[in-house]
Amino acid sequence: MIPRYARPDMVAIWSPETKFKIWYEIEAHACDAMADLGVIPRENAEAVWKAKDVEFDVARIDEIEAVTKHDVIAFLTHLAEHVGSDEARFVHQGMTSSDVLDTCLNVQLVRAADLLLVGMDKVLAALKKRALEHKDTVRVGRSHGIHAEPTTMGLTFARFYAEMDRNKNRLEKARWEVATGAISGAVGTFANIDPAVEEHVCEKLGLRPEPISTQVIPRDRHAMFFATLGVIASSIENIAVEIRHMQRTEVLEGAEFFSMGQKGSSAMPHKKNPVLTENLTGLARLVRMTVIPAMENVALWHERDISHSSVERGIGPDATVTLDFALHRLAGVIDKMLIFPDNMLDNMNKFPGLVMSQRVLLALTQAGVSREDAYSMVQRNALKVWEERLDFRELLLADEAVVEALGVDAINEKFDMGYHTKHVDTIFKRVFGDS
């Protein structure tokens, strides 16, 4: 990923230096386990740890790989340069390249998931804070982009909180599912290496042994991991699109914070554009772009091929680095977001009283009017509000059939805004518990 959309902590997980360090730990721990089993001499296993503080030379490994055309062999050759050729002769005993590559990839994905969970916690904290702050801030709810009935800004934030909380749960499960390692040798039969070696390495690296590998860890695990990242990205876009709609000039119920010195347009000095949430919409597309290739990686020839390898070298860092950046950007947007309650009320009153149409309809049916007749009575008055911007309540009070069915006091009572917000506390308790 380009530095513009990357945070250093996540980038470091995917650096060549980190990768080779994990490869080294896998090999060194495997040597310890084989020494415990008496497969290799103890002194050889201990000799491998001479390289524990080494910063492996990426350029040197690349130089060796240019000849060997094999990345793991190039690394092992470089490791022997540090440990000593004779001392390192038992490194990689009974193992295959995928034992190193797949176990390393899953270590990286687990570490990436841990950083993503930190970002999700920041988003959840920001959403909860704004939800509580605006629990009773009334705004019009919209369906199909058209005024529907009143809701509150707090409920909007609470809805996004609940969605992100589900996503956190999904990510925790995806992290668990991908946290496996395999040190099972060629075609996964343990023919040349004891399963105890796999158990030892996995324990040291915070993984679980893969119950049955072929020559690779099954890629359905990775497909689920990247699919989960795609769902989280879609939720980020869901929030971003709502904020972008709220910032439209004709709406202006909320807006991104506009910092001192910020410029919205190179041509029009008056502009304040929702650039951060537009950026989040684009980043969400990039994350989702990795999902289909991850699913296509599930189907491999026989015990393995490497059609998945080139894909994962790209989508591993791309998806996690991008999503990590997006989560932290979203948390900042929500935390600093400007809310305009007066504009919310002004928007609701552009068509005075119209949002109460359903309540009047239900009252008419309860008063004995057929639903068809009640709908017609309400709609004929509602259309005048649409067409002439008249006051809906005044129109109803001037409609003899409506007054005869309900009475003046009952009509006026149907315009109490509190009717629509009476269960906000109940919803908040469902989302946030007693906090």
Side-chain angles (χ1 to χ4, degrees):
M1 285 304 300
I2 61 175
R4 185 182 184 93
Y5 304 129
R7 295 189 332 113
D9 287 351
M10 185 63 86
V11 171
I13 290 174
W14 299 101
S15 72
E17 293 82 1
T18 299
K19 178 183 71 174
F20 292 134
K21 189 67 173 179
I22 297 170
W23 286 13
Y24 165 73
E25 292 173 356
I26 292 168
E27 297 284 4
H29 288 307
C31 285
D32 279 347
M34 286 188 279
D36 290 341
L37 293 169
V39 175
I40 70 173
R42 172 63 60 188
E43 56 268 26
N44 288 82
E46 291 176 352
V48 176
W49 287 106
K50 291 192 300 183
K52 67 183 178 65
D53 296 321
V54 167
E55 291 188 13
F56 296 105
D57 188 337
V58 176
R60 173 59 180 151
I61 295 171
D62 289 343
E63 179 185 357
I64 299 169
E65 186 181 353
V67 176
T68 64
K69 304 296 190 295
H70 196 291
D71 53 356
V72 175
I73 292 174
F75 169 76
L76 294 173
T77 301
H78 181 54
L79 177 60
E81 292 174 343
H82 288 283
V83 175
S85 180
D86 186 61
E87 290 88 342
R89 73 181 187 275
F90 296 111
V91 173
H92 208 66
Q93 181 91 3
M95 295 169 59
T96 189
S97 298
S98 292
D99 291 335
V100 178
L101 297 171
D102 281 15
T103 302
C104 174
L105 174 62
N106 284 7
V107 169
Q108 290 173 301
L109 291 176
V110 167
R111 292 179 183 178
D114 288 339
L115 286 185
L116 292 173
L117 287 166
V118 171
M120 296 202 72
D121 282 339
K122 289 187 67 174
V123 171
L124 287 167
L127 287 169
K128 182 176 182 178
K129 183 186 80 170
R130 302 315 298 269
L132 295 172
E133 179 184 351
H134 291 285
K135 183 174 74 170
D136 300 314
T137 302
V138 177
R139 68 186 294 232
V140 67
R142 298 170 173 89
S143 56
H144 305 274
I146 308 300
H147 284 197
E149 291 188 349
T151 182
T152 77
M153 190 66 228
L155 287 176
T156 300
F157 283 124
R159 169 167 62 90
F160 292 139
Y161 177 94
E163 183 172 345
M164 277 299 180
D165 192 48
R166 293 192 295 273
N167 282 329
K168 180 182 177 181
N169 181 258
R170 292 174 181 128
L171 183 55
E172 288 171 339
K173 290 179 179 177
R175 180 199 183 281
W176 181 89
E177 186 164 340
V178 83
T180 66
I183 310 293
S184 54
V187 304
T189 59
F190 297 100
N192 296 298
I193 193 165
D194 194 288
V197 177
E198 180 182 78
E199 293 171 6
H200 178 81
V201 172
C202 287
E203 180 185 1
K204 291 296 183 180
L205 295 176
L207 304 176
R208 307 181 316 281
E210 179 62 45
I212 177 169
S213 52
T214 52
Q215 195 162 321
V216 294
I217 293 174
R219 256 45 192 183
D220 62 289
R221 294 186 182 276
H222 304 79
M224 179 55 69
F225 186 89
F226 286 98
T228 299
L229 302 192
V231 172
I232 296 170
S234 294
S235 293
I236 290 174
E237 182 178 15
N238 189 24
I239 299 171
V241 166
E242 176 65 20
I243 296 172
R244 289 168 59 193
H245 277 310
M246 290 177 68
Q247 192 163 335
R248 290 165 54 209
T249 305
E250 295 82 0
V251 180
L252 202 57
E253 295 180 356
E256 296 176 11
F257 177 76
F258 201 80
S259 62
M260 184 66 67
Q262 183 175 344
K263 304 292 190 291
S265 166
S266 63
M268 296 168 284
H270 72 277
K271 295 277 281 179
K272 289 185 176 183
N273 301 331
V275 292
L276 298 179
T277 44
E278 288 176 340
N279 170 251
L280 288 171
T281 296
L283 295 179
R285 294 170 183 168
L286 288 175
V287 176
R288 286 196 300 268
M289 185 174 67
T290 68
V291 176
I292 296 300
M295 291 186 173
E296 291 175 340
N297 280 351
V298 173
L300 300 177
W301 285 18
H302 303 296
E303 278 61 53
R304 60 110 38 157
D305 61 56
I306 62 165
S307 59
H308 62 289
S309 176
S310 56
V311 176
E312 289 167 352
R313 289 175 193 268
I315 67 174
D318 283 359
T320 55
V321 170
T322 304
L323 187 60
D324 175 66
F325 179 87
L327 286 168
H328 285 267
R329 169 156 284 183
L330 178 62
V333 167
I334 295 164
D335 190 58
K336 296 180 179 180
M337 184 179 170
L338 304 176
I339 305 296
F340 305 116
D342 290 342
N343 289 351
M344 293 178 181
L345 291 178
D346 288 344
N347 285 337
M348 191 178 306
N349 291 323
K350 282 182 179 178
F351 300 92
L354 197 59
V355 293
M356 302 299 184
S357 72
Q358 180 181 196
R359 196 172 179 207
V360 177
L361 168 66
L362 296 177
L364 286 168
T365 60
Q366 291 171 348
V369 181
S370 72
R371 185 173 180 86
E372 291 75 15
D373 289 343
Y375 199 102
S376 178
M377 292 162 67
V378 173
Q379 189 179 44
R380 68 179 177 233
N381 289 288
L383 291 177
K384 291 179 182 178
V385 181
W386 274 108
E387 296 161 3
E388 303 175 44
R389 296 293 180 94
L390 300 174
D391 186 284
F392 185 53
R393 178 176 2 194
E394 292 179 2
L395 289 169
L396 293 174
L397 291 171
D399 189 314
E400 294 182 0
V402 176
V403 173
E404 181 180 353
L406 295 179
V408 172
D409 290 342
I411 292 173
N412 285 326
E413 187 269 335
K414 299 301 178 288
F415 288 81
D416 174 23
M417 191 65 68
Y419 175 85
H420 289 279
T421 60
K422 61 181 179 292
H423 292 304
V424 169
D425 285 338
T426 300
I427 299 171
F428 264 60
K429 189 171 183 179
R430 288 180 173 183
V431 175
F432 301 111
D434 294 321
S435 60

